[in-house]
Amino acid sequence: MNSLFKRIQKIYDDSSSNSSSEDEFEDLLFLEYERKRFERGSTSRTGSHRQRSVINRNRLQGHERIFNDYFAKSPVYNDAMFRRRFRMNRALFLRIQSAIEMHEPYFQQRRDAAGRLGLSSLQKITAALRILSSGVAADFMDEYVRISESTAIESVKYFAKADISIFGPEYLRSPNSNDIELLLALNKTRGFPGMLGSIDCMHWKWKNCPTAWKGMYTGHCHEPTIILEVVASYDLWIWHAFFGLPGSHNDINVLERSHVFSELTQGRAPIVNYSINGHNYTMGYYLADGIYPSWATFVKSIPLPQTMKTKHFARCQEGVRKDVERAFGVLQSRFAIVRGPARYFETETLK
């Protein structure tokens, strides 16, 4: 900058300045003017230039605060507070953290280019779980965890992918023969022999739905939504989930696209043997509400029952079918991110 001023002063003091030196002088003044505008962050011909601010968050302080509050030998908060804020007990959290840290290098603590320690797995997983369980904004945990908004969003995506990859084969699977045997035995004691579960759909509001898609994703909720179809058992086990169809669809449209009966159509359905009123059956069924079609695999309630027998059946069917409604309620209370509007932009990320 000093050399630039010296050149300007030399040209200005040169008594023998000709047209070329005057042109050079004007060019230098223009360059200096543009340089000052760039430093001030003002708008130039190519758009606005915004300098990135660097915040020294003291990441180690965030890690020490989480460790002392929840994971030290004498933590500040007891087990009840831990379960309330993380939606799980401390042993389960440590099991998930250890498995994810070994599986996904993103959660392993490393040093940056300056040699400083980066965020620990405790910080990233804590931020991810708070967003999933409490439904808070991505930058809500910055003051406590010392993690930026973009890193928190990235941690949620990596956490979900790693969690499904590690625990999906065990907990996100269809029931095997032993599971089916237990389901049939328990449902028989509840008055529905041969029942495999209850099926229904719920809508998740999509806040950041693209404007061009809002008409397709808007249904009876009058807001863009995405549909989740599940089959749930008595113990809140969701062993079938189909997600992604626009909210303008109804349960029948979702059922036609779902893979819930893929095993049945391919001849690989589980063997189910039961008898009702002297009739033998070899195919299981699901409890459903009135919108579902009258198929042999669905047992629906009786609309407007008149006799005591039909009233008793409708009361029992509606009472047992509440398994899936209760599963939706627990899902939204345990993971509040599903209860609030979805903030992500891509359906694959939401899935």
Side-chain angles (χ1 to χ4, degrees):
M1 184 172 61
N2 293 333
S3 61
L4 181 62
F5 287 140
K6 289 181 180 179
R7 292 181 63 187
I8 295 175
Q9 186 66 30
K10 182 179 179 181
I11 296 173
Y12 184 80
D13 295 336
D14 192 355
S15 59
S16 60
S17 298
N18 49 24
S19 59
S20 60
S21 61
E22 291 177 358
D23 294 338
E24 183 180 2
F25 178 73
E26 292 177 357
D27 292 339
L28 292 174
L29 288 178
F30 176 78
L31 291 175
E32 177 62 13
Y33 173 74
E34 289 295 319
R35 184 186 65 80
K36 289 183 177 180
R37 290 182 63 188
F38 177 81
E39 290 179 349
R40 292 195 303 266
S42 60
T43 304
S44 64
R45 293 193 182 102
T46 58
S48 61
H49 297 274
R50 183 180 178 182
Q51 294 182 351
R52 180 179 179 182
S53 59
V54 179
I55 301 176
N56 184 13
R57 288 182 167 83
N58 194 351
R59 290 168 284 195
L60 292 179
Q61 181 183 1
H63 171 81
E64 293 175 357
R65 184 184 294 116
I66 297 174
F67 182 82
N68 293 329
D69 286 347
Y70 297 104
F71 301 99
K73 291 184 178 180
S74 299
V76 177
Y77 302 102
N78 56 20
D79 295 342
M81 293 297 295
F82 187 97
R83 185 176 182 83
R84 177 182 176 183
R85 293 175 178 174
F86 288 90
R87 302 295 195 271
M88 63 183 70
N89 56 45
R90 187 178 287 105
L92 179 58
F93 179 94
L94 294 175
R95 177 193 172 193
I96 294 175
Q97 180 214 0
S98 177
I100 289 181
E101 190 174 6
M102 293 179 59
H103 177 81
E104 178 55 59
Y106 175 81
F107 291 96
Q108 298 174 4
Q109 191 174 29
R110 291 168 293 184
R111 295 185 180 273
D112 57 13
R116 298 172 299 184
L117 280 174
L119 294 168
S120 65
S121 61
L122 277 180
Q123 292 169 282
K124 293 179 179 179
I125 295 178
T126 298
L129 281 177
R130 288 295 180 86
I131 293 174
L132 293 172
S133 61
S134 303
V136 297
D139 60 345
F140 180 79
M141 298 295 297
D142 188 8
E143 295 177 334
Y144 178 71
V145 182
R146 300 298 185 181
I147 185 171
S148 64
E149 179 182 5
S150 59
T151 308
I153 295 174
E154 193 176 35
S155 298
V156 173
K157 296 179 181 179
Y158 276 101
F159 177 82
K161 291 181 180 179
D163 202 26
I164 293 172
S165 177
I166 298 171
F167 303 103
E170 182 178 357
Y171 297 102
L172 301 177
R173 58 173 176 82
S174 299
N176 53 32
S177 58
N178 294 330
D179 297 328
I180 292 176
E181 185 178 351
L182 291 175
L183 290 173
L184 294 176
L186 183 77
N187 291 328
K188 184 178 180 180
T189 61
R190 304 172 74 192
F192 289 90
M195 188 190 81
L196 296 174
S198 303
I199 185 171
D200 202 2
C201 295
M202 67 166 284
H203 291 252
W204 188 10
K205 294 181 182 180
W206 191 8
K207 178 178 180 293
N208 291 327
C209 175
T211 304
W213 295 359
K214 284 189 176 181
M216 179 175 59
Y217 280 83
T218 302
H220 69 279
C221 297
H222 306 292
E223 289 181 311
T225 59
I226 305 178
I227 299 178
L228 168 66
E229 178 194 71
V230 305
V231 174
S233 60
Y234 66 97
D235 57 352
L236 305 178
W237 178 25
I238 298 177
W239 55 263
H240 162 76
F242 178 69
F243 176 82
L245 289 189
S248 58
H249 290 60
N250 56 28
D251 294 7
I252 300 177
N253 305 134
V254 177
L255 181 65
E256 293 176 353
R257 298 283 300 275
S258 175
H259 57 274
V260 63
F261 295 131
S262 59
E263 296 291 325
L264 180 64
T265 56
Q266 296 174 8
R268 298 197 304 266
I271 300 176
V272 178
N273 295 310
Y274 61 95
S275 178
I276 298 178
N277 296 331
H279 298 280
N280 296 323
Y281 299 92
T282 60
M283 182 172 58
Y285 59 87
Y286 305 89
L287 298 187
D289 55 15
I291 193 175
Y292 281 88
S294 299
W295 294 351
T297 52
F298 293 131
V299 173
K300 304 189 296 182
S301 179
I302 299 176
L304 300 176
Q306 300 297 325
T307 64
M308 294 298 296
K309 183 178 180 179
T310 55
K311 290 180 179 179
H312 175 71
F313 174 82
R315 182 170 60 252
C316 293
Q317 193 273 353
E318 293 170 1
V320 177
R321 197 191 67 83
K322 292 302 180 183
D323 291 345
V324 65
E325 301 292 350
R326 187 164 60 96
F328 285 142
V330 174
L331 176 67
Q332 295 181 54
S333 63
R334 185 69 62 88
F335 299 100
I337 190 174
V338 184
R339 184 172 65 246
R343 299 187 179 95
Y344 293 99
F345 292 90
E346 299 177 358
T347 56
E348 287 299 322
T349 303
L350 299 175
K351 183 177 181 180

